[in-house]
């Protein structure tokens, strides 16, 4: 049994810990994998999402249009850490909810999503691909943010993606904006 003094000391510490976790990552549980820059390549087949698995051609022709349309229905939904509904959602929740809506499963946490599928170069990014970001510009670190590519207008200057911004809710942004360009880690094709 905790004393009144111990409880009074513990409450602010728990509040600070909860606040730190929610501000440091868009996923509910924060990072729990090795930093991106220090991970060693694994000599195995790329991870596949659990649930329905399709080939790349079927994904591009049969699912990408639906994924972009469904993702855009979330535009304006407020950010909520751990959220996955129209009343509040975070970045990895958006991806999981959109994929689930079209019948495809995706892990719930952003760093886990960053391990699904296979990496593609920037000049090969297509709508439906996933983008991943680190928290600090120009530094290596853990994946803390994820997004879905919605359109590619120019590989050198205009790759649009939808994501749940912690300050502005669900919105579309450009990969080449100064904020995101310096935090970009990789692009993945989930199938």
């Amino acid at each position: 049994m905790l004393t009144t003094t111990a409880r009074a000391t513990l409450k602010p510490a728990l509040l600070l810990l909860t606040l730190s976790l929610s501000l440091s990552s868009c996923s509910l549980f924060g990072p729990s994998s090795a930093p991106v820059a220090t991970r060693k390549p694994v000599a195995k087949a790329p991870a596949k999402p659990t649930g329905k698995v399709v080939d790349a051609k079927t994904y591009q022709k049969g699912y990408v249009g639906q994924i972009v349309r469904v993702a855009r229905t979330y535009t304006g939904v407020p950010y909520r850490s751990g959220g996955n509904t129209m009343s509040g959602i975070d970045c990895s929740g958006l991806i999981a909810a959109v994929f689930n809506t079209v019948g495809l499963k995706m892990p719930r946490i952003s760093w886990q999503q960053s391990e699904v599928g296979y990496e593609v170069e920037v000049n090969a990014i297509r709508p439906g691909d996933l983008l991943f970001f680190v928290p600090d510009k120009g530094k290596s670190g853990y994946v803390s943010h994820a997004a879905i590519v919605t359109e590619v207008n120019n590989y050198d200057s205009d790759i649009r993606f939808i994501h749940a911004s912690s300050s502005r809710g669900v919105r579309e942004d450009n990969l080449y904006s100064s904020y995101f360009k310096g935090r970009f880690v990789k692009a993945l094709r989930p199938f």
Side-chain angles (χ1 to χ4, degrees):
M1 195 87 169
L2 291 174
T3 65
T4 305
T5 306
R7 272 184 265 151
T9 305
L10 189 56
K11 281 183 182 178
L14 287 174
L15 180 62
L16 183 60
L17 177 62
T18 303
L19 183 59
S20 296
L21 284 173
S22 68
L23 292 176
S24 68
S25 175
C26 71
S27 64
L28 179 63
F29 301 106
S32 57
S33 69
V36 173
T38 62
R39 274 192 227 140
K40 293 186 171 131
V42 179
K44 64 177 184 174
K48 295 287 184 191
T50 57
K52 189 172 185 179
V53 176
V54 297
D55 62 52
K57 192 177 208 177
T58 302
Y59 177 68
Q60 284 298 314
K61 290 186 178 208
Y63 288 94
V64 170
Q66 294 175 61
I67 285 170
V68 170
R69 278 190 300 281
V70 171
R72 285 178 167 159
T73 67
Y74 284 86
T75 300
V77 169
Y79 176 87
R80 189 176 87 212
S81 181
N84 58 2
T85 67
M86 289 287 198
S87 62
I89 201 161
D90 66 14
C91 65
S92 57
L94 176 66
I95 292 171
V98 168
F99 276 70
N100 185 54
T101 299
V102 301
L104 300 172
K105 300 289 184 200
M106 188 60 61
R108 173 59 181 83
I109 300 171
S110 57
W111 73 263
Q112 292 171 332
Q113 292 169 346
S114 76
E115 310 244 334
V116 172
Y118 58 95
E119 198 165 337
V120 294
E121 297 295 323
V122 172
N123 63 0
I125 290 174
R126 292 188 252 176
D129 289 346
L130 304 178
L131 303 179
F132 297 93
F133 304 89
V134 293
D136 297 317
K137 185 175 185 175
K139 296 183 179 177
S140 63
Y142 58 88
V143 167
S144 65
H145 194 62
I148 302 169
V149 176
T150 54
E151 52 187 278
V152 177
N153 298 312
N154 184 310
Y155 283 113
D156 296 321
S157 63
D158 193 10
I159 297 175
R160 300 286 170 165
F161 61 90
I162 192 164
H163 64 116
S165 164
S166 59
S167 61
R168 298 180 183 157
V170 178
R171 56 180 279 133
E172 289 189 57
D173 280 301
N174 186 353
L175 177 61
Y176 288 96
S177 71
S178 60
Y179 183 85
F180 288 106
K181 186 176 182 182
R183 289 168 174 81
F184 174 70
V185 175
K186 64 181 173 179
L188 292 180
R189 188 149 303 137
F191 297 99

